[in-house]
Amino acid sequence: MKNDTHPDYHMIKVEMTDGSTFETRSTWGSEGDTLHLDIDPKSHPAWTGGSRKAAQGGRVERFNKKFGGLSSLSTKK
């Protein structure tokens, strides 16, 4: 294997949104740096069941808003 082809893999600290920290190995930053997270599994609505602002204005919502009032034509005989 060639030398100097892979990034440096070292220990860093990760600080969650609630202030808790843990150590892990990463290629981010330098040895001993602290990565401060803005969003993590403790605060993200996908994992916490919070409000679904990210889904507003999606394709399904726009379709239903535009065509939701139409009646089904397949019921006529």
Side-chain angles (χ1 to χ4, degrees), residues 26-71:
S26 176
T27 58
W28 178 86
S30 301
E31 179 81 27
D33 283 352
T34 301
L35 176 63
H36 301 278
L37 299 179
D38 295 330
I39 297 176
D40 62 20
K42 294 180 180 181
S43 67
H44 194 279
W47 290 284
T48 61
S51 65
R52 297 185 58 183
K53 290 184 179 180
Q56 291 178 350
R59 290 182 182 199
V60 173
E61 288 82 9
R62 286 185 285 164
F63 178 86
N64 288 335
K65 183 178 178 182
K66 188 172 184 178
F67 300 108
L70 296 177
S71 62

Side-chain angles (χ1 to χ4, degrees), residues 8-40:
D8 181 33
Y9 195 57
H10 48 269
M11 294 297 291
I12 65 165
K13 286 186 180 179
V14 177
E15 184 176 339
M16 307 288 269
T17 56
D18 66 351
S20 62
T21 61
F22 66 92
E23 289 189 7
T24 187
R25 293 180 57 98
S26 176
T27 58
W28 178 86
S30 301
E31 179 81 27
D33 283 352
T34 301
L35 176 63
H36 301 278
L37 299 179
D38 295 330
I39 297 176
D40 62 20

